[in-house]
Amino acid sequence: MNDGIWKREEQAEFALRNLYHHYGYAPYKMSHFEEYDLYVRNKDFLISDQIITFSGAGGQLLALKPDVTLSIVKNAPQEPGEIQKVYYSESVYRDYREIMQTGLECVGDLGEYEIAEVVLLAAKSLGLLARRSVLNLSHMGLIAAVLNGCNFSGQVKRQAMDCLRKKNAHELKALCADQPEAWPKLEALVSCRGSGREVLAQLSRVLTGEAERQALEELEALWRILESGGCADSVRLDFSVGSDLRYYSGVVFRGYLEGIPASILSGGQYDRLPQKMGRRSRAIGFALYLDLLQESSQEESGYDLDTLILHDGTVDTAVLTAAAEEAARQGSVLVGQKLEPADSV
């Protein structure tokens, strides 16, 4: 197979599908349309609230899907011992744009292994896409435990969460003016980032609450699995990676590739979403935005082919064909007739 005729994101999608299939994930395909009510009931989970809607044949309000996860969770198993593992490549529609999204979801009666497997696959996915990558990892259960222990009001808790995301230690400390005992734990979260072993050791010295220790133990167990899976070197703990506390309950993560300033991978554990939908399931997954690879490739090279052959129309066709075939054996080729400059008017 000649990879030269594939776009970079197409090659990536093929490699990712092979990886997920190798770990027992099945392909998932959904309709372009979904009931609008599904997104309205769970709009806090969506990245964008700009949903394209229209009336169906029976008068039912439908939407061009802005998300794949909600549809998967809606139909996920919820019996003890049942787990659904799926991967997908789907177009989603956000802010009136079509976005190609590749990802996977693991939903059902999940245990420690399933959570760790998805994080491992996120790290391995990045490794397939570039020589240098990093997966930033956080834990919403740990952040929630610390914030709950601070006895903040709902508004102050949201402000503290925003400070963590922005790594704004100054404003975060100001929020602790009336509760100075809360600052050492929040300082640890906002300042500790890097290798798991080092960060976990620092956190263990200041996180003493029962819920904090339980979440910390989950992170420690996950880090040991990442080390045994050979992925720890490309993963770092960073508690600025945070999301909505109403949905995300455990690990959350974002992935980056060298040369691309935006995160190309985003995911996490979102047990509260299936619970909100009335299902007895746990859930974790991630999505990759492979269109960012195309933007990166365009910056790296302004050329779409390896060889350009121009002729004046007088070259023997057999000679021209032989030259084109020889060039095609080395890469992509385009044969065209050279145009003379138009006469000035």
Side-chain angles (χ1 to χ4, degrees), residues 19 21 24 65 84 86-87 93 141 153 174 218 246 249 261 284 336:
L19 172 65
H21 178 75
K65 62 177 186 291
Q84 181 182 34
V86 297
Y87 68 87
Y93 302 88
S153 67
E218 288 182 15
R246 290 170 293 180
S249 54
I284 184 172

Side-chain angles (χ1 to χ4, degrees), residues 88-109:
Y88 61 86
S89 291
E90 295 277 349
S91 292
V92 294
Y93 302 88
R94 297 174 186 156
D95 300 321
Y96 302 100
R97 294 188 301 121
E98 181 180 12
I99 302 170
M100 192 60 191
Q101 183 174 297
T102 297
L104 62 78
E105 305 292 341
C106 186
V107 186
D109 188 10

Side-chain angles (χ1 to χ4, degrees), residues 87-157:
Y87 68 87
Y88 61 86
S89 291
E90 295 277 349
S91 292
V92 294
Y93 302 88
R94 297 174 186 156
D95 300 321
Y96 302 100
R97 294 188 301 121
E98 181 180 12
I99 302 170
M100 192 60 191
Q101 183 174 297
T102 297
L104 62 78
E105 305 292 341
C106 186
V107 186
D109 188 10
L110 308 187
E112 182 180 278
Y113 171 77
E114 286 76 26
I115 302 297
E117 180 184 73
V118 170
V119 178
L120 277 169
L121 286 173
K124 289 178 180 289
S125 296
L126 294 173
L128 284 176
L129 302 181
R131 287 188 297 272
R132 297 186 64 182
S133 64
V134 63
L135 186 71
N136 286 347
L137 183 71
S138 180
H139 195 294
M140 295 306 296
L142 179 60
I143 293 174
V146 172
L147 292 179
N148 290 337
C150 295
N151 295 316
F152 289 149
S153 67
Q155 180 180 356
V156 175
K157 189 181 293 186

Side-chain angles (χ1 to χ4, degrees), residues 142-210:
L142 179 60
I143 293 174
V146 172
L147 292 179
N148 290 337
C150 295
N151 295 316
F152 289 149
S153 67
Q155 180 180 356
V156 175
K157 189 181 293 186
R158 287 189 292 272
Q159 290 175 323
M161 191 71 221
D162 188 56
C163 289
L164 281 175
R165 279 194 289 263
K166 295 177 180 178
K167 300 181 181 179
N168 189 336
H170 177 74
E171 290 190 17
L172 187 59
K173 186 175 183 180
L175 293 176
C176 301
D178 296 330
Q179 299 184 62
E181 69 280 0
W183 171 238
K185 294 181 179 182
L186 290 174
E187 182 183 25
L189 290 185
V190 77
S191 62
C192 291
R193 56 184 177 270
S195 169
R197 289 284 183 182
E198 297 174 5
V199 171
L200 291 169
Q202 293 178 59
L203 292 178
S204 66
R205 291 193 285 268
V206 295
L207 301 185
T208 56
E210 183 178 350

Side-chain angles (χ1 to χ4, degrees), residues 306-321:
D306 299 307
T307 305
L308 173 64
I309 300 176
L310 296 177
H311 63 95
D312 60 5
T314 63
V315 180
D316 183 87
T317 302
V319 174
L320 192 60
T321 301

